[in-house]
Amino acid sequence: MRMVLGIESSCDETAAALVTEDRRILAQAIASQDDCHAPYGGVVPEIAARAHVERLAPLIERVLSDAQVALTDCGAVAATAGPGLIGGVMVGLVTAKALAMASDRPLLAINHLEGHALSPRLADATLEFPYALLLVSGGHCQLLRVEGVGRYRRFATTIDDALGEAFDKTAKILGIGFPGGPAVERLAAQGNPRAVPLPRPLLGSAEPHFSFAGLKSAVLRAKDSGQHAAADIAASFQQAAIDCILDRAQRSLDAMGQVTALVVAGGVAANAGVRAALEGLAARRGLRFVAPPQALCTDNAAMIAWAGIERLAAGLPGDPLDIAARPRWPLDPQAEVVRGAGVKA
Ligand code: KG4
Ligand code: ZN
């Protein structure tokens, strides 16, 4: 039975996991750094890298001992090699290189976005390629056709902010804590989604992409007006964001050709409102809807280990030990760079 050790350290979660090819997560450990970054209202890259250094090795030891396996029992050591905060990515990748060298196992340098993109197949053995994927995280907002391991076609991306970033900034504007997404979702549950008129950027536009910067500015103006309850602003923001992603998803689905399912992954896929709206869209189009369980949506190492398993199963080779970490690493290298999106992968 093939088994892979996965390591994740691209943002503010330090994580390790052992996953088998028959989709069992034998052990996993995750150390959130929320406490380190909360005072700053956002992730501070240097603090994140330092915390990864301190936390990663004990997490890996714990995972191996929980599962009662030796490193040499693993088929490979997989680690996120980008995109992400470069200091943290380097900590995980260098650790994986050392473990791979010491145990004489192949090293698999995994694209973090590929981890998110394939995570639904870890949770659901029946999900076949090609599928339509809405990948929504703190750094990314993309619609992709997932055609196979290592084969992704991007149909849309954001021209400014990622969706998770818009949730985080809304939380910051409303002063409801960090990380923002879950806080906005909790507050939105107590508000009226129609109370505050907010824009739906690019809704109905012929171009396929996303934009959330204008929505964020409108949230700021709504807050500054002093006329609205915070819960109403949160609910109205969430509704506007959902309307935008539904519109954009429909447009890309029209362009994508045949797919087996509509799938959502990435941190924002943990949002119940987002999931329900996409489920409705899939039903209207006669498509299956697949969303991984919440714990597999936000950053974790099981998805990195699983991407490693998929690569081995596809017969793809390991990576050289001198492979470099990549702060930017698009899933679809053919996709055009869109206006304003240069800061993202
Ligand atoms: O995938 P992820 O854990 O890390 C990145 O690769 O970016 O995504 C984190 C993002 C953050 O912006 C966070 O606020 C958002 O996902 N998020 C949510 C929810 N849970 C996490 N956004 C909306 N609703 C949630 N329940
Ligand atoms: Zn992520």
Side-chain angles (χ1 to χ4, degrees):
M1 177 61 57
R2 202 179 265 142
M3 174 171 67
V4 166
L5 172 68
I7 294 171
E8 161 59 32
S9 61
S10 66
C11 191
D12 59 342
E13 253 91 36
T14 319
L18 274 166
V19 176
T20 62
E21 65 185 327
D22 64 351
R23 293 178 166 77
R24 282 179 297 134
I25 301 174
L26 292 184
Q28 65 174 323
I30 183 159
S32 158
Q33 302 175 6
D34 288 352
D35 50 332
C36 307
H37 304 290
Y40 308 96
V43 179
V44 182
E46 291 78 5
I47 294 176
R50 171 63 60 98
H52 289 306
V53 170
E54 289 166 357
R55 295 170 189 203
L56 183 55
L59 284 188
I60 294 170
E61 280 177 354
R62 172 143 48 102
V63 160
L64 290 170
S65 90
D66 283 356
Q68 305 243 303
V69 299
L71 205 50
T72 44
D73 298 330
C74 295
V77 181
T80 294
L85 301 174
I86 188 68
V89 172
M90 285 172 64
V91 172
L93 186 57
V94 164
T95 305
K97 287 177 180 180
L99 295 176
M101 199 188 293
S103 61
D104 199 21
R105 301 289 97 180
L107 169 75
L108 298 172
I110 303 289
N111 184 320
H112 178 83
L113 301 175
E114 179 160 56
H116 280 302
L118 297 176
S119 65
R121 281 167 52 86
L122 168 57
D124 186 333
T126 66
L127 178 60
E128 302 283 350
F129 302 120
Y131 52 87
L133 173 71
L134 174 67
L135 176 51
V136 274
S137 69
H140 300 276
C141 184
Q142 305 187 354
L143 279 155
L144 298 149
R145 189 168 194 265
V146 181
E147 300 179 340
V149 181
R151 291 172 44 220
Y152 308 91
R153 273 180 64 203
R154 197 201 72 197
F155 281 73
T157 186
T158 179
I159 62 170
D160 42 53
D161 294 350
L163 183 55
E165 204 176 343
F167 270 91
D168 292 336
K169 286 177 177 167
T170 295
K172 207 166 181 179
I173 290 166
L174 297 178
I176 54 173
F178 173 86
V184 170
E185 181 173 15
R186 276 193 302 275
L187 188 60
Q190 299 155 32
N192 174 0
R194 281 172 296 280
V196 186
L198 292 174
R200 270 89 173 135
L202 296 183
L203 198 88
S205 156
E207 73 159 292
H209 299 301
F210 298 88
S211 168
F212 295 107
L215 177 56
K216 169 192 69 191
S217 306
V219 166
L220 182 60
R221 285 194 297 276
K223 166 81 163 78
D224 286 349
S225 76
Q227 291 176 357
H228 303 286
D232 287 342
I233 298 176
S236 300
F237 159 78
Q238 189 170 288
Q239 189 57 53
I242 287 172
D243 290 351
C244 292
I245 56 176
L246 281 185
D247 178 72
R248 306 287 78 196
Q250 300 208 53
R251 198 188 174 292
S252 276
L253 282 171
D254 288 343
M256 222 176 248
Q258 182 269 333
V259 288
T260 62
L262 173 61
V263 178
V264 65
V268 187
N271 184 290
V274 169
R275 291 164 90 104
L278 290 167
E279 189 165 16
L281 171 64
R284 288 195 291 285
R285 297 183 73 105
L287 273 177
R288 266 185 82 195
F289 174 70
V290 177
Q294 284 204 359
L296 277 182
C297 289
T298 46
D299 285 349
N300 65 87
M303 70 180 190
I304 303 302
W306 176 253
I309 297 258
E310 292 257 29
R311 264 178 61 176
L312 294 180
L316 298 169
D319 289 302
L321 285 174
D322 63 352
I323 193 166
R326 295 179 65 174
R328 296 181 194 178
W329 187 358
L331 271 183
D332 177 358
Q334 313 291 337
E336 46 146 9
V337 176
V338 303
R339 173 170 51 99
V343 291
K344 308 284 156 32

